[in-house]
Amino acid sequence: MQSSHLLLEEPIRMASILEPSKASFFPAMTKIVGTLGPKSRSVEVISGCLKAGMSVARFDFSWRDPEYHQETLENLKTAVKTTKKLCAVMLDTVGPELQVVNKIEKAISLQENGTVILTPDEGQEASSELLPINFDGLSKAVKKGDTIFIGQYLFTGSETTSVWLEVSEIQGNDVVCVIKNSATLTGSLFTLHASQIRIELPTLSDRDKEVISSWGVKNKIDFLSLSYTRHAEDVRHAREFLSKLGDLSQTQIFAKIENIEGLNHFDEILQEADGIILSRGNLGIDLPPEKVFLFQKAALYKCNMAGKPAVVTRVVDSMTDNLRPTRAEATDVANAVLDGSDAILLGAETLRGLYPVETISIVGKICAEAEKVFNQDLYFKKTVKYVGEPMTHLESIASSAVRAAIKVKASVIICFTSSGRAARLIAKYRPTMPVLSVVIPRLKTNQLKWSFSGAFEARQSLIVRGLFPMLADPRHPAESTNATNESVLKVALDHGKASGVVKSQDRVVVCQKVGDASVVKIIELED
């Protein structure tokens, strides 16, 4: 008998659990975003990350300068060429992030029940009694009894490397706090998070704008991760800013939800953004621990129904220092996949973790196992019901393609697209087989020069679950008057065969435009 949620047989056949996992060309349908940093910036390690399954590289500007990140990016480009694995680039903004400044980088020990003063005087030296911060409005934002959390870069959750403080009094611009747990802070930068407190700083800071208009434009970034998105207006403002930067008008904006304010305005933010990142590190401080899973499930459901990619963070923290995740973490990754997430984002685990390649590899394996028991049938019915009738033309074609592919047990769905929208809609229905998105470049001109579109659209599908892009030869038209468009299809099928996704006698579902009509057809491959 099938359960209503999983495709597992009940009682579960234990023998099937013990069978070794089969290797496949695509490690998993769920994508992995890796943050590149000190332990993951050499060509060798990045190549390992790409082979292990990383499809988006995240550059976090909370720390280090653009020159440092540029060196890392050049290494990424080399690794992409040598491994022949496509990779998108995500720029993560700093936003209104509060930071403790520790210029001389000495370890700071804080003792439970002691006191420590947070001061906006950045000229002071960080010590066990005094922590300088980069914001002079904290004393006006907090009151006695409020909670403040300090941890290195991304909160580890480990109570010996991060500290909880309770505000005991305000002295002018200084905030005096009682230390709630003993901890040792190490490194040059610690993030400070005041729980459920609004910080009066712009979501897109002047420094962010400077980095985007120089580093971002130069490198034609695919995604902008907008830290601390609190309102839909934040996304609109960022889009307006990007639209003035030429090439970046195509950059997708992923709103990072990391506090109560963003949670309260989630629906409007989702409408404006191209995708959502559930930043569980900060959310875990703003929300009681027992509520975090509820937000995750509700937010992922909303993203899925809107057909917008959802990314979950903070899944295997312990792998920053260990070769294996905890059982709870392994289960957490699987649950994120079963809840419907498109991608898993790794932060400290790949940035300064000791095992970046192994972490990506194991997360990919867990995702692949969870995908096998993802109840696609239930999901499909739920999505069709949510979309309602009458469906739009494109939505109808996308859902029909997925239904046909499942009915005939197709090995792959091939979708011809220019903007990537049709392929994303097919992926929205979560087919059990990979979707090969063949992006047909379009020739465009700004009256000064001719250029081809397509590269952005191809790379941007690297964050969508189940979508695998391929850039077609611009000489082949996407819309064809003859119903076969054999040349492009042959190239796509050859690519599928070479990568082991399709073999002789397989069935393939093809979705393409023919003149003004959209067509879904089923092809049976010959020997």
Side-chain angles (χ1 to χ4, degrees), residues 38 375 390 492:
N375 193 335

Side-chain angles (χ1 to χ4, degrees), residues 260-464:
I260 290 283
E261 215 171 337
L263 187 150
N264 285 335
H265 301 107
F266 185 85
D267 290 353
E268 308 96 271
I269 291 170
L270 177 60
Q271 231 171 336
E272 285 294 327
D274 296 301
I276 297 285
I277 296 173
L278 307 183
S279 185
R280 301 192 310 173
N282 286 3
L283 272 170
I285 290 159
D286 257 19
L287 287 174
E290 67 273 19
K291 298 284 188 187
V292 177
F293 86 97
L294 276 175
F295 172 68
Q296 175 172 315
K297 286 182 182 292
L300 289 176
Y301 174 77
K302 285 172 187 272
C303 291
N304 290 166
M305 294 304 113
K308 292 189 177 182
V311 183
V312 170
T313 68
R314 308 305 308 278
V315 284
V316 284
D317 288 349
S318 74
M319 286 197 78
T320 306
D321 304 304
N322 299 299
L323 198 47
R324 285 168 68 91
T326 65
R327 291 68 140 181
E329 288 171 337
T331 307
D332 189 26
V333 174
N335 278 326
V337 173
L338 296 174
D339 285 348
S341 60
D342 284 79
I344 301 289
L345 188 153
L346 302 170
E349 302 99 322
T350 55
L351 177 123
R352 58 184 168 84
L354 304 177
Y355 309 102
V357 177
E358 291 84 351
T359 302
I360 292 167
S361 174
I362 203 150
V363 167
K365 283 176 185 168
I366 298 166
C367 291
E369 287 296 321
E371 286 155 11
K372 288 179 194 171
V373 296
F374 180 76
N375 193 335
Q376 199 282 333
D377 188 43
L378 184 75
Y379 181 91
F380 187 90
K381 285 174 185 159
K382 199 167 62 175
T383 312
V384 168
K385 188 179 173 187
Y386 180 88
V387 171
E389 292 174 355
M391 272 186 176
T392 62
H393 175 86
L394 255 183
E395 194 99 39
S396 167
I397 291 290
S399 57
S400 302
V402 174
R403 192 191 295 267
I406 286 165
K407 293 284 182 203
V408 303
K409 292 193 163 48
S411 55
V412 71
I413 299 173
I414 294 177
C415 174
F416 294 101
T417 180
S418 289
S419 65
R421 190 160 160 247
R424 280 198 299 276
L425 266 181
I426 290 174
K428 170 182 173 177
Y429 287 90
R430 295 281 188 259
T432 49
M433 65 291 295
V435 180
L436 203 56
S437 159
V438 183
V439 181
I440 313 278
R442 280 184 299 201
L443 193 58
K444 55 182 187 177
T445 178
N446 61 2
Q447 296 180 323
L448 290 174
K449 62 173 184 175
W450 291 91
S451 64
F452 282 111
S453 73
F456 263 111
E457 291 82 354
R459 289 193 303 267
Q460 283 168 344
S461 59
L462 290 167
I463 204 164
V464 182

Side-chain angles (χ1 to χ4, degrees), residues 88-103:
V89 171
M90 176 183 277
L91 186 160
D92 202 314
T93 63
V94 180
E97 182 174 274
L98 306 189
Q99 296 171 347
V100 173
V101 184
N102 180 16
K103 286 176 183 161

